């Protein structure tokens, strides 16, 4: 049975259990898990997810998956007592981005007193069903002979920057993974300081051309070619570096540290293959286009697009999106009934921006549909902790799949204690939003539903202004949550508008029309909580602005952890209810608003709301409107992420 809490003033001042009444009885739907089926097929063009060299790396651990819980006596002592790591800045002289949050040498955050993490707290932070290398961080997928492959940037020696190699894992369903031996080492003059981001293109004859950025012995970013030693090997265990590397070097006018991240190639009607590489000219972000007929000799053709003031473009992605069907398109598709999406990861602010537009193959240029929503100044793929994303076309299922890299928001010293850092989002299917005509939709792949087990459902729960409802879900650390909020249109129209905001207000700030949503990774007393919510602002002229938000300000008692408020605008069209889906997996929360129009990924590091103490609540902190909520919650099994047994 759920219980309702009415706070005296707002979430920030809430004295829990001031007043409790009986809540709605959930509908227990029991076991809903379905057997997993392997995916088969060959994608024509695929990419490794862009692994920005910003990611954290990891210490070599001796056990796969989430670490086992430590004995009670061990967990009571601070883990930091046994390790005092020396933290150094990661690769900035080599043109590599710093960690976006956390103390490094010379950083004021380094003066913050370290939080006494216990081994149980750190062990709990490792995700249950998101892909993480045993000792972390990553690239993206390609599909070959029955397996998805992921190649990830990996430091086998430490959880911070250095010795960048490519780890390798395989999967049949994008959820359960097996680790393989390292695939590429920094062992040549043209990549001796790091095997960086790469993309692959599968040619019509089945050959795989892998282009990757190498950091040379002179710290110059160059593009190199590698290919499988044995194409008939479904595991792709051995790779050969082209003897004539590098195949591309920084052209005139481009800095030696501003030339990286080759995309998947596409072939035009002229039979020529083209790809794009991120760069900048002064403060103008650019995507350079190179053409080739054999993948060993390349010619700079032009710039695909550029946007002044956006700075260095990394991990550029470029692909067609169908405007007439929900199916994905091969990277080389061209013609009517589609738009082309251009995405860049901005090194200056560490966000991924995209825009929809028209690609003129003959002229070699891409033009945005709306110049006011151009790359770097308009829409973002995700409004949270999300970067260096990359897509690939899944030929077997006819879908465009997108991955994003999710870094840590604690300190590098904490990462050394854990022995790992960063992970990937659940793969998302990308489709065109035909209702708005201005954006894409992102939705978790169907395969994640194979992890669903016990289901609890609440229907038509009335949330009066200022109410909080404990849904009494125990051990709420691995969940798939679907929620629908019905807001009375009459109340919206009658409310007096005086809100002037440009983004999300904190969940504790009560306004006439919000916030309302869910509290996840909360403890029973609400001393720690992470609100994910809608916020509606009504201006004096009666217009409404709607936002999807995640507030980390009370997510943890720990020091030295990022506790900002994430949020972005979300379109809620006439006749639509407010909907969200949340994937909660220990220290990561992915939120999808309005079917994936707006997405927010967050990292959360609770100290109390862990293990069996994690709870989930409904809340409405508005002052003038009631909201009716219906929620369906699935507990999720852990994915199987472990070493691959070659003899099997």
């Amino acid at each position: 049975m759920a219980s309702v809490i009415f706070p005296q003033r707002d979430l920030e001042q809430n004295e829990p259990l001031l007043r409790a009444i009986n809540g709605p009885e959930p509908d227990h739907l029991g076991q809903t898990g379905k057997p997993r089926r392997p995916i088969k097929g060959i994608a024509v063009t695929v990419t490794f997810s862009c692994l920005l060299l910003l990611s954290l790396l990891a210490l070599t651990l001796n056990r796969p998956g989430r670490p086992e819980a430590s004995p009670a006596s061990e967990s009571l002592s601070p883990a930091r007592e046994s390790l005092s790591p020396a933290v150094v800045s990661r690769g900035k002289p080599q043109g590599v981005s710093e960690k976006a949050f956390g103390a490094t040498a010379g950083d004021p955050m380094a003066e913050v007193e370290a939080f006494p993490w216990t081994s149980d707290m750190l062990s709990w932070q490792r995700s249950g069903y998101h892909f993480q290398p045993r000792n972390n961080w990553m690239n993206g997928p390609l599909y070959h002979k029955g397996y998805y492959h992921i190649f990830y940037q990996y430091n086998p020696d430490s959880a911070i920057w250095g010795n960048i190699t490519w780890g390798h894992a395989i999967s049949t369903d994008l959820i359960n993974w097996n680790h393989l031996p390292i695939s590429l080492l920094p062992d040549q003059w043209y990549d001796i300081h790091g095997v960086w981001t790469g993309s692959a293109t599968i040619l019509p004859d089945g050959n795989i051309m892998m282009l990757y950025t190498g950091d040379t012995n002179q710290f110059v970013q160059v593009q190199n070619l590698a290919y499988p030693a044995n194409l008939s090997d479904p595991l792709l265990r051995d790779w050969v570096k082209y003897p004539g590397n590098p195949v591309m070097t920084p052209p005139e006018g481009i800095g030696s540290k501003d030339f990286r991240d080759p995309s998947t190639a596409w072939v035009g009607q002229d039979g020529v293959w083209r790809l794009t590489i991120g760069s900048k000219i002064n403060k103008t972000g650019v995507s350079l286009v190179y053409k080739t007929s054999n993948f060993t000799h390349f010619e700079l053709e032009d710039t695909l697009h550029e946007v002044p003031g956006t700075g260095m473009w990394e991990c550029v992605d470029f692909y067609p999106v169908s405007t007439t069907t929900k199916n994905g398109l091969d990277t080389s598709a061209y013609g009517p009934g589609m738009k082309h999406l251009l995405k860049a990861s901005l090194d200056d602010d560490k966000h991924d921006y995209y825009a929809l537009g028209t690609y003129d193959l003959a002229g070699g240029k891409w033009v945005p549909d709306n110049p006011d929503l151009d790359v770097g100044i308009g829409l973002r793929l995700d409004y949270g902790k999300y970067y260096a994303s990359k897509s690939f076309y899944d030929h077997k299922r006819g879908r465009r799949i997108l991955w994003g890299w999710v870094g840590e928001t604690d300190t590098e010293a904490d990462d050394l204690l854990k022995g790992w850092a960063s992970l990937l989002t659940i793969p998302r299917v990308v489709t065109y939003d035909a209702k708005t005509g201005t954006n894409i939709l992102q939705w978790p792949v169907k395969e994640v539903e194979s992890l669903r087990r016990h289901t609890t459902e609440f229907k038509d729960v009335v949330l009066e202004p200022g109410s909080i409802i404990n849904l009494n879900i125990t051990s709420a650390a691995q969940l798939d949550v679907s929620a629908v909020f019905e807001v009375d249109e009459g109340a919206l129209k009658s409310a007096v508008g005086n809100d002037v905001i440009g983004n999300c207000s904190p969940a504790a700030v009560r306004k006439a029309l919000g916030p309302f949503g869910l509290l996840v990774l909360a403890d029973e007393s609400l001393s720690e909580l992470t609100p994910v919510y809608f916020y509606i602002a009504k201006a004096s002229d009666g217009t409404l602005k709607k936002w999807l938000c995640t507030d980390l300000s009370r997510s943890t008692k720990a020091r030295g952890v990022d506790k900002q408020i994430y949020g972005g605008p979300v379109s809620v069209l006439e006749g639509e209810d407010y909907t969200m889906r949340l994937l909660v997996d220990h220290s990561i929360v992915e939120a999808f608003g309005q079917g994936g129009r707006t997405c927010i990924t967050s990292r959360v590091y609770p100290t109390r709301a862990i293990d069996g103490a994690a709870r989930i609540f409904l809340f409405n902190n508005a002052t003038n409107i009631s909201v009716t909520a219906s929620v369906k919650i699935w507990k999720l099994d852990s994915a199987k992420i472990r070493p691959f047994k070659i003899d099997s």
Side-chain angles (χ1 to χ4, degrees):
M1 180 176 293
S3 57
V4 181
I5 302 169
F6 291 96
Q8 290 176 317
R9 292 181 294 279
D10 54 40
L11 284 175
E12 190 66 41
Q13 301 297 324
N14 176 51
E15 295 284 335
L17 304 178
L18 289 176
R19 174 183 173 189
I21 63 174
N22 291 336
E25 289 282 358
D27 295 326
H28 292 284
L29 305 182
Q31 302 293 322
T32 59
K34 298 179 181 179
R36 291 183 280 276
R37 295 182 297 175
I39 303 172
K40 301 178 180 178
I42 299 177
V44 177
T45 55
V46 291
T47 42
F48 306 138
S49 179
C50 183
L51 123 156
L52 172 67
L53 303 179
L54 211 195
S55 296
L56 298 182
L57 315 177
L59 293 165
T60 302
L61 304 181
N62 293 322
R63 55 182 182 268
R66 295 188 64 241
E68 298 176 1
S70 304
S73 60
E74 179 183 336
S75 66
L76 294 177
S77 60
R80 196 175 296 273
E81 289 181 358
S82 61
L83 178 62
S84 298
V87 180
V88 295
S89 180
R90 293 170 303 103
K92 191 66 174 178
Q94 290 76 40
V96 180
S97 306
E98 292 286 351
K99 182 172 180 178
F101 184 86
T104 57
D107 192 319
M109 278 299 300
E111 303 302 321
V112 176
E113 182 182 359
F115 184 78
W117 295 102
T118 67
S119 57
D120 277 354
M121 292 176 188
L122 296 175
S123 176
W124 179 90
Q125 291 175 14
R126 192 167 179 90
S127 62
Y129 58 89
H130 283 73
F131 176 74
Q132 291 182 262
R134 285 175 290 175
N135 331 298
N136 221 53
W137 68 275
M138 49 229 75
N139 247 14
L142 85 85
Y143 189 81
H144 178 71
K145 294 186 180 296
Y147 291 102
Y148 290 99
H149 294 254
I150 193 165
F151 299 85
Y152 53 91
Q153 292 183 38
Y154 167 58
N155 182 353
D157 302 324
S158 177
I160 59 175
W161 174 257
N163 191 25
I164 304 304
T165 65
W166 270 20
H168 185 189
I170 58 172
S171 173
T172 58
D173 60 6
L174 293 172
I175 300 298
N176 300 286
W177 293 89
N178 290 274
H179 293 289
L180 289 172
I182 289 173
S183 60
L184 288 178
L185 292 167
D187 56 6
Q188 302 296 320
W189 71 266
Y190 50 77
D191 61 13
I192 195 66
H193 286 126
V195 179
W196 292 4
T197 299
S199 296
T201 301
I202 298 182
L203 304 183
D205 62 3
N207 279 301
I208 300 174
M209 298 290 108
M210 180 192 298
L211 292 165
Y212 70 92
T213 299
D215 194 17
T216 74
N217 55 356
Q218 298 297 317
F219 300 108
V220 177
Q221 295 171 7
V222 298
Q223 313 313 316
N224 305 307
L225 173 65
Y227 36 81
N230 179 9
L231 199 60
S232 65
D233 177 13
L235 303 184
L236 297 177
R237 282 168 286 186
D238 299 311
W239 291 81
V240 176
K241 296 178 182 179
Y242 174 57
N245 280 336
V247 295
M248 286 173 276
T249 59
E252 184 178 355
I254 297 297
S256 61
K257 300 176 183 178
D258 303 325
F259 183 66
R260 54 186 178 266
D261 311 338
S263 74
T264 295
W266 64 94
V267 63
Q269 297 170 341
D270 55 2
V272 175
W273 290 90
R274 292 173 174 84
L275 58 86
T276 183
I277 295 175
S279 188
K280 69 175 180 177
I281 300 174
N282 297 320
K283 285 294 185 180
T284 296
V286 300
S287 52
L288 306 173
V289 174
Y290 280 79
K291 62 181 181 180
T292 184
S293 59
N294 55 16
F295 285 84
T296 58
H297 296 85
F298 289 82
E299 178 184 347
L300 176 61
E301 185 173 63
D302 204 344
T303 58
L304 179 68
H305 191 58
E306 58 187 56
V307 180
T310 55
M312 178 66 195
W313 284 14
E314 302 182 294
C315 307
V316 175
D317 204 2
F318 184 63
Y319 55 89
V321 179
S322 174
T323 58
T324 59
T325 73
K326 292 295 184 182
N327 294 330
L329 296 174
D330 179 82
T331 306
S332 296
Y334 185 79
M338 67 181 68
K339 293 180 181 293
H340 271 75
L341 182 150
L342 179 61
K343 167 256 158 184
S345 301
L346 268 57
D347 189 32
D348 285 358
D349 69 5
K350 307 301 182 292
H351 298 314
D352 279 19
Y353 293 85
Y354 79 95
L356 295 171
T358 301
Y359 175 45
D360 178 8
L361 180 60
K365 295 291 186 180
W366 174 89
V367 178
D369 288 346
N370 183 352
D372 292 334
L373 296 176
D374 207 342
V375 179
I377 60 175
L379 300 173
R380 284 168 52 183
L381 285 177
D382 192 293
Y383 289 85
K385 183 64 177 178
Y386 179 99
Y387 197 64
S389 63
K390 194 71 176 181
S391 73
F392 78 104
Y393 177 61
D394 181 359
H395 182 266
K396 173 64 176 179
R397 295 205 168 188
R399 57 187 179 175
R400 172 69 55 173
I401 294 179
L402 176 71
W403 296 64
W405 169 74
V406 186
E408 304 296 320
T409 57
D410 56 1
T411 68
E412 288 187 343
D414 293 336
D415 299 335
L416 283 169
L417 283 174
K418 291 182 294 188
W420 56 269
S422 82
L423 40 71
L424 286 182
T425 61
I426 290 298
R428 302 173 182 179
V429 177
V430 175
T431 56
Y432 176 69
D433 189 349
K435 291 183 178 180
T436 64
T438 59
N439 56 272
I440 59 170
L441 301 172
Q442 303 171 62
W443 201 246
V445 293
K446 184 77 172 176
E447 288 87 336
V448 73
E449 297 175 14
S450 66
L451 300 177
R452 289 175 173 175
R453 290 299 174 257
H454 186 267
T455 309
T456 306
E457 187 169 13
F458 301 88
K459 296 181 179 179
D460 299 327
V461 180
V462 177
L463 297 170
E464 299 291 342
S467 60
I468 305 173
I469 296 181
N470 186 345
L471 297 181
N472 291 329
I473 303 295
T474 59
S475 302
Q478 288 184 204
L479 302 177
D480 186 350
V481 184
S482 177
V484 178
F485 299 92
E486 183 179 351
V487 179
D488 180 55
E489 289 295 328
L492 289 178
K493 293 178 180 179
S494 63
V496 176
N498 59 1
D499 291 331
V500 181
I501 65 167
N503 210 320
C504 293
S505 288
V509 176
R510 302 189 65 182
K511 296 286 187 177
L513 306 178
F516 56 87
L518 291 159
L519 308 177
V520 297
L521 297 177
D523 66 338
E524 194 80 39
S525 67
L526 298 181
S527 67
E528 292 182 332
L529 50 86
T530 298
V532 184
Y533 53 96
F534 290 104
Y535 186 90
I536 307 173
K538 188 173 185 179
S540 57
D541 62 1
T543 58
L544 295 175
K545 290 186 177 181
K546 301 141 188 177
W547 304 85
L548 179 69
C549 316
T550 299
D551 184 350
L552 302 180
S553 60
R554 290 181 59 190
S555 61
T556 179
K557 295 291 187 180
R559 300 178 295 273
V561 173
D562 190 13
K563 300 178 184 180
Q564 66 179 288
I565 299 172
Y566 296 126
V570 59
S571 296
V572 182
L573 305 181
E574 185 176 356
E576 291 183 342
D577 289 326
Y578 290 74
T579 65
M580 68 170 66
R581 181 180 179 184
L582 307 183
L583 294 178
V584 181
D585 188 9
H586 296 264
S587 62
I588 181 172
V589 178
E590 294 187 63
F592 304 85
Q594 299 306 114
R597 284 182 190 141
T598 299
C599 305
I600 301 174
T601 300
S602 307
R603 299 305 306 274
V604 185
Y605 307 97
T607 62
R608 300 179 182 180
I610 65 174
D611 299 320
R615 297 288 185 270
I616 181 171
F617 296 75
L618 279 167
F619 81 97
N620 175 18
N621 215 25
T623 59
N624 287 19
I625 59 169
S626 296
V627 178
T628 301
S630 295
V631 185
K632 198 169 185 179
I633 303 171
W634 292 268
K635 287 190 174 182
L636 299 187
D637 280 348
S638 293
K640 296 179 176 63
I641 303 176
R642 56 196 178 188
F644 185 81
K645 296 181 180 180
I646 302 297
D647 57 1
S648 65

